Amino acid sequence: MISGLVQILLFQSLGELVSKFLLPTLPGPVIGLVLLVLWLVLRKGINSDLAMVADGFSQYLGLLFVPAAVGVVLFLPQLQANALAIISALVGSVILTIASSAFIARLLSKRESHE
């Protein structure tokens, strides 16, 4: 289990270093997660220690939403004042996401049918 935790912390630290020196606009944990996924793809699998730590983290994933809920309650007046802009941004982003996903899926399905 310690080995899995060390792997996660190592990739998060690498992500922080890359964020600090090469890509300052991206958060370090996101870069670390991408590096971890790439590492797991190269290894073609997840070892048992890493899987055990990931399962343990996922059991308490709901706790990560508590600060976000507190922020919503704290900034409720600002959210109400900008409700139209927020709703339109959410609806627009959902429509763009669905449209771009459909476009990519259609593009990839055409490529597979030609092969």
Side-chain angles (χ1 to χ4, degrees), residues 54-105:
D55 288 340
F57 280 157
S58 65
Q59 289 177 354
Y60 302 105
L61 196 59
L63 289 175
L64 296 176
F65 294 107
V66 172
V70 170
V72 167
V73 172
L74 182 65
F75 293 106
L76 195 56
Q78 289 88 349
L79 291 173
Q80 288 174 341
N82 298 309
L84 182 63
I86 293 169
I87 290 171
S88 62
L90 288 173
V91 169
S93 65
V94 167
I95 291 171
L96 286 174
T97 301
I98 291 171
S100 62
S101 298
F103 176 73
I104 297 294

Side-chain angles (χ1 to χ4, degrees), residues 11-33:
F11 280 100
Q12 183 174 358
S13 300
L14 286 174
E16 289 290 343
L17 286 173
V18 170
S19 174
K20 181 77 172 170
F21 296 112
L22 298 176
L23 300 168
T25 58
L26 292 176
V30 172
I31 296 171
L33 181 64

Side-chain angles (χ1 to χ4, degrees), residues 33-53:
L33 181 64
V34 170
L35 291 173
L36 177 62
V37 168
L38 291 174
W39 172 251
L40 293 175
V41 167
L42 289 174
R43 291 187 62 207
K44 294 182 174 57
I46 301 172
N47 61 14
S48 61
D49 289 335
L50 185 61
M52 186 185 324
V53 172

